[in-house]
């Protein structure tokens, strides 16, 4: 349904008078505006109709504002004042001989001449005021004879105006102004001006509110761009280059369920433009309904990319963009009075954010929750967290809308039932995708209509020597060189090591022409890679980058990954050999996508993974077609049959994971529901769980027991762990239980963490970070650690005596490490988990001292990517442990210590660089460049001249995004401080009264 566009602004202004020229059309009499005269009601109705017909702003004035400002409908109406002057001159000419020169008497006939045209065009309130003045004048004439009829303060006492000498003559206009000012200054119970303003303001607000309700009860319409101001459309073009939306996007945004703010799940192929629809809906919520929004994304890299991309919109449209990823984010978030906030969060941080809003009774301020990759509901423990988050939002808030973006699923109706949502599906892709498989040297096109699902396409035309055939039996070089370097290509490999090997193998057989393609820019990239490693450069990248080839997997540092991604996006690199994680992360499309094998490590690909990978083929606006090629090997007899299933079978289904890992997710959900006072009995828990995906799929997942039995079992387990108490059928959370759910600590480790912290207090080592680092080393990484005993012993001997005693206190004595390094068997039992945890703590401890990932990775003989992963996980877990200790009084000494350690682990750089690295996407190498160029604080960066900044910092890609982030962070810090000031100055709501 299309409505007239009505832009509504709620504007608070001060009481200081100002020019109100833009309101003259509303309040000025018709003779001043020009045109025919009509009744006040006619004028007001005509103005409201014009508001509905035109895209023009209606401003609601505050009730304390001076509505008229410098304008007065009588004193500044030039037609009235001119008539007064004319009448005065005529009267004086007629009575010049009759009146003595020393008298200044004004006859009633002067004003009588003005009464032939009543002020019919004044508002009703002003007409009433005029009639009262005229009535008083009549009574005054009856009492005082020929005295002046002009309202005068002394008339109430029957006194006439004083006689004035000729030298002090005043015009009628001057006298009228002077007496009206006197009347205004006269004390009265209620000011006529105040009554007049109140009447007009009330009338305007009532009519405007009725008009707004007619447009939309829930979503005020602020402009022509899907209810948003045209400025949003201009920003889309300026910042994104988007001139128009795809047909499916327009259809989706105009769905009845979207207009009515119902929940929605929409499914499209990868690269179909799903995210833009979500961003427009978010902007409508922020700008039109003035509500906060939560955008949940699966990975930290995606959160940071989205924060960078939306910061410019936040600055231009006056809302905050806040990052909740890793150790970043405040719980509860800052409560802003004058601005709305967009929280961009990972799955785990989004759940913690929702918990904090529920606890502070602020969830209704959250108008919209958007979940990207909604099909991850079926992805283990992370899927369980998504389900918990959405179930809580639906149960606690009835006004928060949920939007889910999902891959095509086989059981989408289950998700619709869970979210009480509509579904919109479209197969649109901006670039056509052609899927192929390769067997031997033959290419077959995927065609579900064919009996065997495949149709012959062509033979490979590339001459292989016998040596090449042995090295490259899968003809990867032939497939790659058909598209590079003119076009881009992604080559997915099953393992990280395979990525590096394949990249090096390809470069051995590429022609020298590849070296000359964008040679200078490749040289710059190599220098930046070396700078990011503090002088160290990966030997594989050193060989492959000159050919425009690189590998991409978790073994790279975040700085290296970012540089490789930017170089690929700009065309400096034309081929990436990568693992499946790239398909799930940042969007890097290619002309051709090649799957080296239908495996991820040793696991056969899922159809959803396959679709995600091949979905990267085809670059919108660049390519007319995208190609994907899956390489099959005949030696695996079952592979071809399984490949048919992979490329032609229906999409997989999505199932609840609350019962995953022995029901760990359900236990966590029950604990948080009791802790947040959402439920306090088994019956209420059962009622809540009926709103989960688990309940929708209960008959498929839990046929052996009832929902009540599952709930009762959870309550018994939590009671046994001393996380809750049961008192006369009432469920209450203990202090330990509250600390566990508020810190988002895995229930498996809650008791162990409590014991470790308690034991740590007995002999806490304060002259070194080692003890604290050990306490915040993540438990879930212990299984991935296999210590090198010689390295372990060598690093152990470098510790101080106090640090070695601390190691022995946690169960890792020097004698044990020495025996293992010597290859001797250890008869005495030792806690293996503590030993592995200490080894990881030593890696972190070395990193904190040196802040150099490369040297630490070489010393411990682990990949630099693993070192960074360990660092990121530790900083996040340290933040969790900090929240854990804040809820338990006995751990008060840890609070200040862990707050500083969290900051150190989050950035792991020299102290002076930390302020610069608070910006999403600014990594250590970039922070060093900025600091060296004189940009040492966020304030420097927020006020930097873009041209000067780009000149000082070489190859500053996406500098507009970075500058917006600098300004956004400064604005956020300033707003937070202002909120604190306002809160301190505001009188408390419970202030005692007389």
């Amino acid at each position: 349904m299309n409505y007239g566009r009505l832009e509504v602004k709620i504007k608070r202004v001060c009481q200081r008078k100002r020019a109100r020229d833009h309101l003259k059309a509303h309040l000025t009499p018709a003779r001043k505006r020009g045109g025919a005269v009509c009744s006040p009601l006619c004028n007001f109705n005509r103005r409201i109709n014009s508001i509905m017909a035109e895209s023009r702003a209606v401003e609601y004035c505050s009730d304390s504002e001076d509505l008229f400002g410098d304008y007065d409908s009588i004193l500044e109406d030039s037609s009235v004042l001119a008539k007064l002057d004319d009448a005065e001159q005529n009267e004086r000419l007629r009575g010049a001989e009759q009146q003595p020169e020393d008298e200044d008497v004004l006859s009633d006939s002067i004003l009588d001449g003005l009464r032939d045209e009543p002020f019919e065009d004044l508002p009703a309130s002003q007409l009433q005021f005029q009639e009262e003045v005229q009535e008083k004048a009549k009574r005054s004439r009856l009492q005082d004879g020929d005295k002046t009829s002009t309202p005068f303060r002394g008339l109430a006492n029957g006194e006439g105006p004083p006689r004035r000498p000729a030298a002090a003559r005043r015009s009628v206009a001057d006298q009228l102004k002077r007496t009206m000012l006197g009347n205004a200054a006269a004390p009265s119970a209620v000011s006529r001006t105040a009554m007049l303003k109140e009447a007009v303001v009330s009338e305007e607000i009532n009519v405007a509110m009725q008009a707004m309700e007619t447009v939309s009860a829930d979503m005020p319409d602020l402009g022509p761009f899907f209810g948003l101001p045209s400025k949003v459309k201009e920003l889309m073009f300026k910042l994104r280059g988007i001139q128009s939306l795809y047909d499916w996007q327009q259809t989706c945004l105009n769905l009845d369920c979207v207009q009515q703010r119902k929940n929605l799940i929409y499914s499209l192929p990868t690269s179909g433009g799903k995210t833009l629809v979500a961003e427009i809906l978010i902007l409508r919520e922020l700008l039109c309904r003035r509500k906060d929004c939560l955008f949940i994304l699966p990975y930290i890299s995606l959160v940071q990319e989205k924060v960078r991309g939306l910061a410019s919109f936040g600055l231009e449209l006056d809302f905050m963009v806040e990052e909740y990823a890793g150790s970043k984010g405040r719980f509860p978030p800052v409560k802003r009075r004058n601005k709305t906030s967009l929280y961009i969060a990972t799955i785990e941080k989004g759940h913690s954010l929702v918990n904090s809003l529920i606890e502070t009774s602020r969830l209704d301020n959250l108008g919209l929750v958007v979940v990207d990759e909604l099909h991850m509901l079926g992805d283990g423990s992370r899927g369980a967290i998504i389900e918990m988050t959405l179930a809580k939002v639906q149960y606690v808030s009835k006004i928060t809308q949920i939007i889910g973006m999902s891959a095509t699923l086989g059981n989408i109706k289950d998700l619709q039932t869970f979210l009480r949502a509509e579904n919109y599906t479209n197969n649109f892709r901006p670039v056509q995708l052609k899927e192929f498989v390769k067997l031997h040297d033959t290419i077959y096109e995927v065609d579900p209509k064919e009996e065997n699902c495949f149709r012959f396409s062509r033979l490979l035309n590339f001459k292989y020597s016998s040596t090449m055939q042995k090295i490259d039996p899968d003809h990867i070089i032939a497939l790659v060189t058909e598209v590079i370097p003119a076009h881009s290509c992604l080559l997915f490999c099953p393992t990280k090591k395979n990525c590096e090997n394949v990249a090096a193998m390809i470069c051995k057989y590429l022609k020298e022409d590849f070296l000359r393609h964008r040679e200078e820019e490749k040289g710059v990239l190599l220098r930046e890679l070396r700078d990011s490693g503090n002088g160290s450069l990966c030997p594989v990248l050193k060989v492959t980058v000159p050919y425009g080839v690189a590998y991409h997997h978790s073994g790279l540092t975040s700085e290296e990954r970012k540089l490789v991604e930017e170089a690929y996006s700009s065309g400096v690199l034309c081929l990436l050999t990568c693992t499946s994680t790239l398909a799930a992360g940042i969007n890097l499309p290619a002309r051709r996508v090649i799957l080296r094998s239908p495996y991820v490590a040793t696991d056969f690909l899922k159809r959803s993974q396959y679709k995600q990978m091949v979905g990267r083929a085809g670059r919108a606006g660049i390519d007319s077609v995208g190609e994907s090629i899956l390489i099959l090997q005949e030696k695996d007899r079952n592979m071809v049959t399984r490949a048919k299933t992979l490329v032609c079978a229906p999409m997989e289904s999505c199932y609840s994971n609350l019962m995953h890992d022995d029901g760990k997710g359900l236990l966590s959900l029950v604990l948080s529901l009791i802790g947040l006072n959402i439920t306090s009995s088994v019956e209420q828990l059962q009622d809540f769980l009926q709103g989960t995906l688990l309940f929708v799929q209960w008959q498929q997942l839990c046929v052996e027991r009832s929902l009540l039995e599952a709930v009762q079992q959870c309550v018994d387990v939590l009671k046994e762990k001393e996380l809750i108490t049961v008192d006369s059928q009432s469920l209450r959370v203990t202090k330990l239980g509250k600390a566990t759910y508020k810190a988002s600590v895995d229930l498996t480790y809650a008791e162990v963490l409590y014991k470790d912290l308690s034991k740590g207090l007995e002999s806490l080592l304060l002259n070194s970070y080692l003890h604290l680092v050990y306490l915040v080393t993540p438990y879930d990484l212990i299984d991935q650690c296999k210590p090198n005993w010689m390295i372990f012993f060598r690093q152990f001997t470098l510790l101080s005596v106090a640090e070695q005693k601390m190691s022995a206190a946690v169960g890792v004595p020097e004698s044990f490490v020495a025996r293992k390094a010597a290859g001797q068997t250890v008869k005495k039992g030792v806690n293996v988990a503590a030993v592995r945890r200490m080894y990881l703590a030593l890696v972190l401890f070395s990193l904190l001292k040196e802040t150099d990932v490369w040297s630490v990775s070489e010393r411990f003989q682990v990949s630099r990517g693993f070192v960074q992963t360990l660092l990121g996980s530790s900083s996040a877990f340290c933040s969790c442990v900090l929240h854990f200790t804040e809820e338990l009084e006995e751990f008060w000494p840890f609070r200040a210590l862990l707050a500083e350690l969290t900051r150190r682990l989050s950035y792991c750089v020299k102290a002076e660089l930390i302020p610069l690295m608070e910006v999403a996407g600014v990594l250590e190498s970039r922070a060093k460049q900025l600091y060296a160029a004189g940009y040492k604080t966020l304030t420097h960066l927020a006020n930097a001249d873009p041209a000067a900044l780009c000149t000082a910092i070489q190859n500053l890609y996406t500098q507009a995004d970075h500058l917006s982030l600098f300004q956004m962070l400064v604005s956020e810090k300033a707003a937070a401080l202002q909120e604190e000031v306002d809160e301190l100055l505001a009188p408390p709501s419970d202030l005692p009264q007389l």
Side-chain angles (χ1 to χ4, degrees):
M1 182 173 181
N2 291 325
Y3 303 103
R5 301 300 184 190
L6 175 63
E7 183 179 354
V8 182
K9 299 177 182 176
I10 308 300
K11 186 174 182 181
R12 309 296 300 178
V13 295
C14 66
Q15 294 182 348
R16 184 173 58 85
K17 289 189 177 184
R18 69 190 76 178
R20 303 282 291 190
D21 295 335
H22 60 287
L23 287 178
K24 285 189 178 181
H26 301 176
L27 301 174
T28 308
R31 284 191 297 273
K32 182 171 181 182
R33 296 194 306 264
V37 178
C38 67
S39 69
L41 182 60
C42 169
N43 279 332
F44 200 81
N45 288 341
R46 185 171 59 199
R47 181 168 60 80
I48 294 301
N49 290 337
S50 68
I51 292 172
M52 297 298 296
E54 300 174 4
S55 297
R56 199 173 65 186
V58 176
E59 294 191 2
Y60 294 172
C61 303
S62 70
D63 50 8
S64 63
E65 180 190 343
D66 188 337
L67 184 65
F68 300 98
D70 294 333
Y71 169 76
D72 189 294
S73 59
I74 296 178
L75 293 186
E76 289 194 12
D77 189 342
S78 58
S79 60
V80 175
L81 297 178
K83 288 181 179 180
L84 282 173
D85 290 338
D86 292 341
E88 181 182 17
Q89 294 297 329
N90 293 336
E91 188 67 18
R92 283 174 176 161
L93 288 173
R94 288 199 305 270
E97 298 178 355
Q98 302 174 13
Q99 298 290 341
E101 290 183 2
D102 61 341
E103 290 184 1
D104 184 15
V105 179
L106 179 63
S107 172
D108 289 341
S109 61
I110 294 178
L111 291 179
D112 289 339
L114 301 175
R115 293 179 186 138
D116 57 343
E117 292 183 23
F119 297 114
E120 294 179 345
D121 48 339
L122 289 175
S125 53
Q126 292 193 32
L127 284 173
Q128 181 180 359
F129 176 72
Q130 182 193 20
E131 291 170 359
E132 291 175 2
V133 171
Q134 290 174 350
E135 185 64 27
K136 285 185 178 181
K138 289 180 181 179
R139 289 198 300 268
S140 178
R141 283 199 303 271
L142 291 175
Q143 295 173 4
D144 301 317
D146 291 332
K147 293 179 182 178
T148 179
S149 61
T150 304
F152 191 73
R153 188 173 178 177
L155 292 180
N157 299 323
E159 300 172 4
R163 300 276 180 173
R164 297 178 183 273
R169 288 179 85 96
R170 293 182 180 271
S171 69
V172 176
D174 289 341
Q175 290 188 49
L176 185 57
K177 290 181 182 179
R178 184 167 179 270
T179 52
M180 288 189 72
L181 289 172
N183 289 340
S188 61
V190 179
S191 167
R192 291 192 183 97
T193 304
M195 292 174 61
L196 178 63
K197 288 192 290 186
E198 183 178 356
V200 175
V201 170
S202 298
E203 189 175 9
E204 285 196 350
I205 289 178
N206 289 337
V207 175
M209 289 299 290
Q210 292 172 6
M212 197 171 94
E213 291 172 1
T214 304
V215 173
S216 172
D218 293 321
M219 186 65 72
D221 195 343
L222 297 187
F225 186 64
F226 300 100
L228 290 165
S230 56
K231 183 177 181 179
V232 175
K233 185 176 182 180
E234 294 168 3
L235 287 173
M236 285 290 180
F237 177 69
K238 176 183 175 183
L239 301 175
R240 302 276 184 84
I242 298 173
Q243 290 182 295
S244 60
L245 272 60
Y246 297 128
D247 290 343
W248 82 263
Q249 292 171 328
Q250 299 185 41
T251 301
C252 186
L253 287 168
N254 288 313
L255 292 172
D256 288 342
C257 62
V258 173
Q259 300 298 329
Q260 297 165 15
R261 297 192 69 256
K262 294 181 180 179
N263 296 346
L264 173 69
I265 301 171
Y266 61 100
S267 309
L268 278 97
T270 303
S271 304
K274 296 190 293 288
T275 307
L276 180 59
V277 170
E279 290 175 354
I280 291 174
L281 293 175
I282 286 171
L283 291 175
R284 285 175 60 176
E285 198 71 23
L286 291 166
L287 303 180
C288 300
R289 298 192 70 247
R290 305 296 298 170
K291 292 283 187 179
D292 298 332
C293 297
L294 171 61
F295 196 171
I296 298 177
L297 297 157
Y299 304 110
I300 293 177
S301 60
L302 292 179
V303 169
Q304 293 177 340
E305 181 190 20
K306 193 56 62 181
V307 168
R308 290 196 299 270
L310 291 175
S312 299
F313 286 89
L315 287 172
E316 293 285 348
L317 301 173
D318 199 29
F319 63 85
M320 303 304 300
V321 179
E322 302 183 38
E323 178 184 351
Y324 280 77
S327 60
K328 292 186 178 179
R330 296 179 60 170
F331 302 103
V334 176
K335 188 175 182 180
R336 307 188 189 281
R337 292 183 177 86
N338 302 319
K339 283 190 177 184
T340 52
S341 292
L342 169 57
Y343 311 114
I344 304 180
T346 56
I347 294 169
E348 294 78 12
K349 287 289 185 177
H351 182 226
S352 299
L353 180 65
V354 167
N355 282 345
S356 69
L357 291 174
I358 292 174
E359 188 174 30
T360 54
S361 302
R362 289 168 51 191
L363 190 62
D364 282 346
N365 293 336
L366 195 65
L368 177 64
V369 176
V370 176
V371 183
D372 193 12
E373 311 290 356
L374 183 64
H375 54 269
M376 288 185 70
L377 276 165
D379 185 17
S381 60
R382 304 194 82 206
I385 295 174
I386 297 175
E387 185 173 349
M388 286 188 258
T389 304
L390 298 182
K392 288 175 184 176
V393 169
Q394 288 196 109
Y395 190 87
V396 177
S397 175
K398 306 304 179 186
I399 63 174
T400 303
Q401 184 184 17
I402 296 174
I403 302 291
M405 296 179 280
S406 171
T408 305
L409 294 172
N411 63 338
I412 195 72
K413 288 195 175 296
D414 286 354
L415 271 63
Q416 284 184 253
T417 304
F418 163 46
L419 295 177
R420 301 188 284 276
E422 302 287 335
N423 180 42
Y424 176 80
T425 303
N426 196 300
N427 293 322
F428 170 82
R429 274 185 58 89
V431 178
Q432 181 187 2
L433 172 62
K434 291 185 177 181
E435 298 178 49
F436 301 92
V437 297
K438 188 194 81 70
L439 187 62
H440 295 305
D441 59 351
T442 307
I443 305 292
Y444 298 89
E445 185 172 359
V446 176
D447 186 356
K449 298 177 183 178
E450 292 288 328
E451 183 178 354
N452 293 323
C453 199
F454 304 122
R455 184 179 67 248
F456 173 81
S457 177
R458 64 187 174 92
L459 292 172
L460 277 177
N461 183 22
F462 191 90
K463 293 181 180 181
Y464 268 73
S465 65
S466 58
T467 305
M468 285 183 65
Q469 187 66 41
K470 290 178 182 178
I471 294 177
D472 183 23
D474 295 325
H475 306 99
I476 294 174
I477 296 173
L479 294 173
V480 163
T481 52
E482 287 180 343
V483 290
I484 65 170
H487 301 286
S488 58
C489 181
L490 293 176
L491 176 55
F492 286 100
C493 301
T495 65
K496 290 184 284 188
K497 191 62 179 176
N498 193 232
C499 290
E500 299 178 33
N501 292 340
V502 170
M505 182 269 294
I506 291 172
C507 291
K508 285 182 181 179
Y509 294 96
L510 291 180
K511 297 178 180 179
E512 291 187 1
D513 293 344
F514 284 85
L515 293 172
R516 291 189 287 272
H517 181 72
R518 303 185 73 164
E519 184 176 3
E520 184 177 344
E521 291 162 284
K522 291 172 188 173
V524 172
L525 174 59
L526 284 172
R527 286 199 299 272
E528 292 208 322
L529 286 169
R530 184 175 284 105
D531 291 342
S532 72
N534 291 317
S536 300
L537 177 62
C538 171
V540 177
L541 292 177
K542 183 178 180 180
V543 172
T544 62
V545 167
Y547 288 92
V549 179
Y551 68 89
H552 184 288
H553 57 60
S554 59
L556 293 171
T557 65
S558 52
E559 289 94 340
E560 289 174 316
R561 281 200 300 271
K562 189 170 187 295
L563 289 169
V564 167
E565 289 163 0
E566 289 174 343
Y568 177 82
S569 297
S570 62
V572 176
L573 297 176
C574 56
L575 171 64
L576 293 184
T577 58
C578 50
T579 55
S580 59
T581 53
L582 183 138
I586 190 170
N587 185 21
L588 295 175
R591 171 65 173 269
R592 176 175 289 180
V593 170
I594 302 171
L595 279 68
R596 171 75 173 77
S597 168
Y599 288 91
V600 174
T602 57
D603 299 324
F604 198 80
L605 275 177
K606 297 178 182 178
R607 178 159 170 76
S608 59
Q609 291 175 312
Y610 168 78
K611 281 294 185 184
Q612 200 167 43
M613 291 179 186
V614 302
R616 297 300 184 196
R619 298 165 298 175
I622 301 175
D623 298 326
S624 57
V625 65
E627 302 171 342
S628 70
I629 301 174
L630 171 62
I631 298 175
L632 303 177
Q633 296 176 354
E634 192 178 28
K635 63 182 180 181
D636 186 348
R637 294 183 179 181
N638 296 324
M639 185 182 289
V640 176
T641 303
R642 297 177 72 179
K644 291 179 182 178
T645 304
L646 182 64
V647 299
C648 297
M651 291 302 295
E652 297 154 341
S653 295
C654 174
Y655 294 101
S656 170
N657 274 271
L658 286 179
M659 300 304 294
H660 174 74
D661 198 6
D662 296 326
K664 188 189 294 183
L666 186 59
L667 276 172
S668 297
L669 175 59
V670 170
L671 176 62
S672 64
L673 291 176
I674 298 170
L676 292 169
N677 294 319
I678 297 175
T679 59
S680 60
S681 67
V682 172
E683 292 75 19
Q684 289 178 342
L685 284 171
Q686 190 175 2
D687 178 59
F688 179 94
L689 291 175
Q690 289 176 356
T692 62
L693 180 62
L694 175 64
F695 181 77
V696 174
Q697 300 173 335
W698 189 267
Q699 296 302 319
Q700 304 172 62
L701 302 176
C702 305
V703 293
E704 72 281 357
R705 56 178 173 167
S706 67
L707 178 63
L708 180 59
E709 291 173 337
V711 172
Q712 189 60 56
Q713 182 180 355
C714 287
V715 170
D716 294 340
V717 171
L718 293 172
K719 182 181 178 183
E720 183 181 349
K721 289 178 176 289
E722 298 183 350
L723 298 175
I724 64 169
T725 59
V726 181
D727 181 20
S728 65
Q729 302 304 313
S730 179
L731 306 178
R732 294 286 183 269
V733 70
T734 64
K735 290 185 178 180
L736 178 59
K738 184 177 182 181
T740 301
Y741 88 79
K742 289 197 71 172
S744 300
V745 174
D746 192 316
L747 292 181
T748 307
Y749 307 123
E751 186 178 357
V752 179
L753 176 62
Y754 184 85
K755 289 180 179 178
D756 284 346
L757 291 173
S758 299
K759 189 176 180 180
L761 278 180
E762 297 174 4
S763 55
L764 185 61
L765 182 65
L766 293 177
N767 64 352
S768 168
Y769 271 117
L770 181 60
H771 200 170
L772 286 174
V773 166
Y774 174 81
L775 291 173
V776 301
T777 300
Y779 294 103
D780 55 358
L781 291 180
I782 291 174
D783 292 337
Q784 301 178 29
C785 175
K786 294 182 180 179
N788 182 311
W789 296 109
M790 285 302 298
I791 294 175
F792 198 168
F793 181 68
R794 192 179 302 120
Q795 294 302 312
F796 195 94
T797 58
L798 296 175
L799 299 177
S800 67
V801 174
E803 290 167 343
Q804 290 183 4
K805 286 183 178 179
M806 171 252 130
S807 178
V810 299
V812 189
E814 181 183 8
S815 59
F816 170 78
V817 179
R819 286 177 178 272
K820 294 296 287 185
Q824 301 176 7
T825 57
V826 181
K827 296 181 180 180
K828 187 178 180 180
V830 175
N831 187 337
V832 177
V835 173
R836 292 180 175 178
R837 199 176 183 210
M838 176 55 71
Y839 188 76
L840 293 175
L842 287 175
V843 177
L844 287 169
F845 185 54
S846 298
L847 193 58
L848 279 178
K849 289 193 296 183
E850 298 186 24
T851 70
D852 186 357
V853 172
W854 278 83
S855 62
V856 173
S857 65
E858 290 173 3
R859 180 178 307 144
F860 287 88
Q861 294 183 10
V862 293
S863 73
R864 55 196 183 278
F866 174 77
V867 174
Q868 266 202 336
T869 300
L870 173 62
L871 180 64
S873 299
S874 299
S875 68
F877 186 61
C878 187
S879 178
C880 292
V881 177
L882 173 59
H883 292 304
F884 187 85
T885 58
E886 287 174 342
E887 298 300 324
L888 296 168
E889 187 62 33
E890 59 266 36
F891 294 142
W892 65 267
F894 283 116
R895 295 170 193 168
L897 297 172
L898 292 178
E900 176 59 24
L901 183 60
T902 300
R903 193 164 181 257
R904 290 288 304 275
L905 289 172
S906 297
Y907 305 107
C908 198
V909 294
K910 293 181 179 179
E912 62 265 21
L913 299 181
I914 290 179
L916 301 177
M917 293 189 65
E918 291 180 3
V919 182
V922 173
L923 303 176
E924 183 180 2
S925 58
R926 182 70 76 205
K928 287 180 178 178
Q929 288 179 320
L930 291 168
Y931 192 87
Y935 300 99
K936 300 182 179 182
T937 65
L938 283 175
T939 308
H940 282 114
L941 292 168
N943 294 281
D945 176 57
L949 186 61
C950 293
T951 302
I953 309 300
Q954 293 182 350
N955 304 301
L956 185 61
Y957 300 111
T958 63
Q959 64 267 19
D961 288 346
H962 277 149
L963 287 173
S964 298
L965 279 168
F966 302 148
Q967 295 164 3
M968 175 62 71
L969 272 176
V970 171
S971 175
E972 184 179 335
K973 289 176 181 290
L977 291 173
Q978 185 61 51
E979 294 290 340
E980 289 183 19
V981 171
D982 293 343
E983 189 173 343
L984 284 172
L985 296 179
S989 57
D990 57 349
L991 185 68
Q993 302 291 332
L994 290 176

